[in-house]
Amino acid sequence: MSTQDVVGRAVIREIRPEDDVAVGELLVEAFTTQYAKKLPEVVYTEERKRELRDVAARRKIASLLVAELDGEVVGTVALFPPGAPGSEAWLPRAADLRGLATAVKMHGSGLARPLLDAAEALARRWDMDAVCLHVRRGAVGVARMYMSRGYVREPEGDMNLPTVFLEAYVLRLK
């Protein structure tokens, strides 16, 4: 299946409650598989996997979008409004983009592009000044993908957590 075929046929829509299980499993599979290949030192604990699977809780505080292809959920992304619980945006009037993932079988298909297009369009509808996000230090390919879309590195938003260092990026909308 060509990249154009996937991107052209994928439907990006708001998540529905019946998508929660599929999205949770997609997140666990995508993150554990990608990090295992590119950052083998990263270990996903059972607690972290439970957090990823708790899509219903995120759906209450953030806007979640899914990519659907032939009736199957094959991608997702979340956008947290300013001040939402769990938001990591460090700028006022900025949405926090989190949890971009595609099904492992879809990696390299270009499916991230329409998911990000939809999330960024949503931030514009919310009249946000920017979209903030974090990338795990060492995930060079992920950072490069965001920078190719116009996100810029903004170290003042970095997060040095007990188990991970997250590098901050921002897309200015205004």
Side-chain angles (χ1 to χ4, degrees):
M1 185 176 312
S2 74
T3 297
Q4 190 63 33
D5 186 39
V6 168
V7 172
R9 289 180 36 231
V11 174
I12 309 300
R13 61 170 174 79
E14 289 187 21
I15 193 170
R16 297 186 290 250
E18 59 268 25
D19 299 322
D20 289 357
V21 171
V23 168
E25 292 308 314
L26 183 149
L27 286 165
V28 169
E29 178 191 37
F31 283 105
T32 59
T33 302
Q34 284 307 99
Y35 282 126
K37 283 194 306 194
K38 296 178 180 174
L39 298 168
E41 70 280 7
V42 175
V43 176
Y44 270 80
T45 64
E46 289 307 310
E47 179 182 343
R48 179 64 177 133
K49 290 176 185 175
R50 271 192 301 280
E51 290 171 0
L52 288 170
R53 288 181 176 115
D54 192 4
V55 176
R58 275 191 306 286
R59 195 167 28 79
K60 292 176 184 174
I61 56 175
S63 288
L64 278 70
L65 302 172
V66 297
E68 186 179 292
L69 186 64
D70 300 328
E72 179 186 1
V73 173
V74 293
T76 187
V77 68
L79 197 66
F80 288 71
S87 173
E88 296 173 349
W90 63 95
L91 297 172
R93 298 191 36 74
D96 179 27
L97 189 128
R98 308 269 296 277
L100 173 66
T102 60
V104 172
K105 68 182 180 183
M106 303 305 293
H107 288 178
S109 68
L111 189 57
R113 189 174 333 123
L115 282 163
L116 288 169
D117 288 346
E120 292 161 4
L122 180 58
R124 285 182 179 91
R125 284 195 303 276
W126 290 352
D127 196 31
M128 296 289 98
D129 292 341
V131 175
C132 296
L133 61 86
H134 290 91
V135 174
R136 180 182 290 269
R137 178 177 278 165
V140 178
V142 174
R144 193 172 27 246
M145 176 199 58
Y146 286 117
M147 288 188 301
S148 74
R149 294 185 63 85
Y151 288 81
V152 295
R153 180 83 171 84
E154 198 160 285
E156 59 269 21
D158 287 355
M159 296 176 66
N160 190 5
L161 304 175
T163 58
V164 64
F165 189 92
L166 299 174
E167 296 178 335
Y169 292 82
V170 64
L171 176 68
R172 303 276 179 192
L173 302 174
K174 295 181 178 180

